[in-house]
Structure formats: C-alpha cells, structure tokens
C-alpha cells in the first residue's frame, strides 16, 4: 500500500484457470494505437463491444491515454485487501482491475503497489474502490482510476477471486478484455473486437483532426463538420 503500512498475505484466492490474457495476448502495437485515440473517440464508435464505465470511476492520475488487456481481482468488501498476489502475476502491458464492490472506506492501492506495477511494466489500475498516496502515485506517473481517495489502509489480507468476471463502474469486465482510460473516463472493449474498434476509433480521430484543420482555415463549425463528413 504505502511505505508506512506493511501487510502479510498467506491464503491463495480462488483462481480461474482459463484466463484469456494467458492464451490470447494483445499485440503491443494495437495497444499503442489505442493509446493514440481518446476514450471519447472509442465511445463514439458506438460499437456493441464497447462499454463506458460509470463516471464515478475517475482519473486519480493519468498522462494521456492508457490501454491494456485486463487482469482482474475481486475483493471481499467486508475485509478489503491490497491485491499483492494478483499484481505479482500480472504481465507486461496489462491493466489490473480491482472489484471492491464500491466499498471506499479503505484504500486497496497506493504508492508501493504503483511503484511495483511501474517496475513490471503493468500499464495501469482501475478500481471501484478507494486508493491513497495520491501525490506519490502522481510523482511516479502511474495511471490510476478509482472511485474515491482515503488515507485509511485495508483491514484484510485475502483476495476473494482472481481472473474471473467482475463488474466495475456498471460494466461487466472479462479477463482479456481491453481497457482504455484517460482524463475523460474509462471504456472497456471485448477482446474479440479490439482490432475493429481500434480501426473505427482511429477513423473518428482522423475526422476530428480534419475538422480542426478546416476551422483553422476559416470554415464555420457547421461547414467544417459537413466538409469532414461528420
């Protein structure tokens, strides 16, 4: 959690053995392309595989856009714990999604976990719970999205379930789905549609750049939209 609050972890969580991220990795080039798109452009694709997380899940820190396949963990809201074991199993480029069932009395993530995640090339973390050590997280530059902030650490030491479906921000999220977050919010894309959604979002972003260019050339907003095909 933070450097002031060590904890111990002894019991294995219930683990799904068929986690998609272990068998169907997403190409880093696709993730890099997604990070060139905004979550707004992705949402504007209106693709049936895209779900927007509730606005209560806000950016604690992000610099631009972060995208990565999901690795999930569910916590017991009656005895929240820091997802240390899940983070130890996370792979390069993944985004850790922590389901705390909207419990925000105790922080489940902080500076030390962010430090480790950064060192192991995890791309970000999203939770419907609370986090702490915000200034340290921002200094690290590690992307974190959460429902709340509190200085109080977790009281539990066990993860309830790893690598299973979770619901965070009203979105059903399956391990291996691709999550994208920026200052506007968070969206999740079903794994099978990632390439299609990426191409569609890139087309929308290109059209928006055309509008910017046409406005700079003196077009009215209405004319710029029309000329750009919006």
């Amino acid at each position: 959690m933070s450097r002031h609050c060590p904890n111990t972890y002894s019991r294995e969580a219930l683990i799904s053995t068929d986690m998609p991220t272990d068998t169907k990795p997403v190409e880093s080039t696709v993730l890099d392309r997604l990070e060139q798109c905004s979550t707004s452009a992705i949402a504007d694709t209106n693709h049936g595989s895209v779900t927007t997380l509730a606005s209560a899940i806000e950016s604690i820190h992000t610099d631009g856009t972060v995208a990565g396949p999901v690795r999930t963990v569910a916590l017991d809201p009656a005895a929240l714990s820091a997802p240390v074991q899940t983070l130890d199993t996370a792979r390069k480029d993944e985004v850790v999604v922590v389901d705390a069932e909207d419990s925000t009395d105790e922080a489940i993530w902080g500076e030390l976990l962010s430090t480790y995640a950064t060192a192991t090339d995890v791309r970000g973390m999203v939770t419907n719970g609370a986090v702490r050590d915000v200034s340290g997280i921002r200094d690290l530059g590690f992307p974190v999205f959460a429902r709340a902030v509190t200085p109080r650490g977790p009281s539990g030491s066990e993860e309830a379930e790893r690598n299973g479906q979770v619901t965070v921000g009203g979105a059903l999220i399956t391990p291996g789905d691709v999550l994208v977050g920026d200052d506007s919010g968070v969206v999740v894309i079903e794994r099978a549609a990632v390439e299609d959604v990426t191409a569609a979002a890139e087309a929308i972003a290109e059209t928006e750049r055309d509008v910017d260019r046409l406005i700079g050339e003196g077009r009215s907003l209405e004319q710029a939209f029309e000329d750009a095909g919006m």
Side-chain angles (χ1 to χ4, degrees), residues 117-172:
T118 300
T120 54
D121 293 322
V122 169
R123 289 203 177 203
M125 193 282 297
V126 176
T127 182
N128 54 7
V131 300
R132 66 180 185 178
D133 308 327
V134 172
S135 62
I137 290 171
R138 289 174 177 160
D139 287 345
L140 285 166
F142 183 71
V144 170
F145 302 82
R147 189 166 177 262
V149 174
T150 179
R152 184 181 178 187
S155 58
S157 61
E158 299 175 4
E159 297 174 0
E161 181 177 5
R162 295 203 296 275
N163 306 347
Q165 281 189 329
V166 296
T167 299
V168 173
L172 182 65

Side-chain angles (χ1 to χ4, degrees), residues 7-74:
N7 209 334
T8 58
Y9 304 88
S10 58
R11 181 178 170 186
E12 280 293 309
L14 175 64
I15 303 173
S16 170
T17 58
D18 58 351
M19 183 174 180
T21 49
D22 288 338
T23 56
K24 298 179 181 179
V26 181
E27 292 289 338
S28 292
T29 53
V30 174
L31 299 178
D32 292 342
R33 287 167 58 199
L34 273 174
E35 289 189 344
Q36 298 304 308
C37 303
S38 67
T39 56
S40 299
I42 295 168
D44 282 351
T45 65
N46 293 318
H47 199 286
S49 70
V50 176
T51 304
T52 301
L53 275 62
S55 58
I57 311 298
E58 297 183 309
S59 171
I60 303 302
H61 171 77
T62 185
D63 183 11
T65 303
V66 59
V70 168
R71 182 169 292 264
T72 66
V73 56

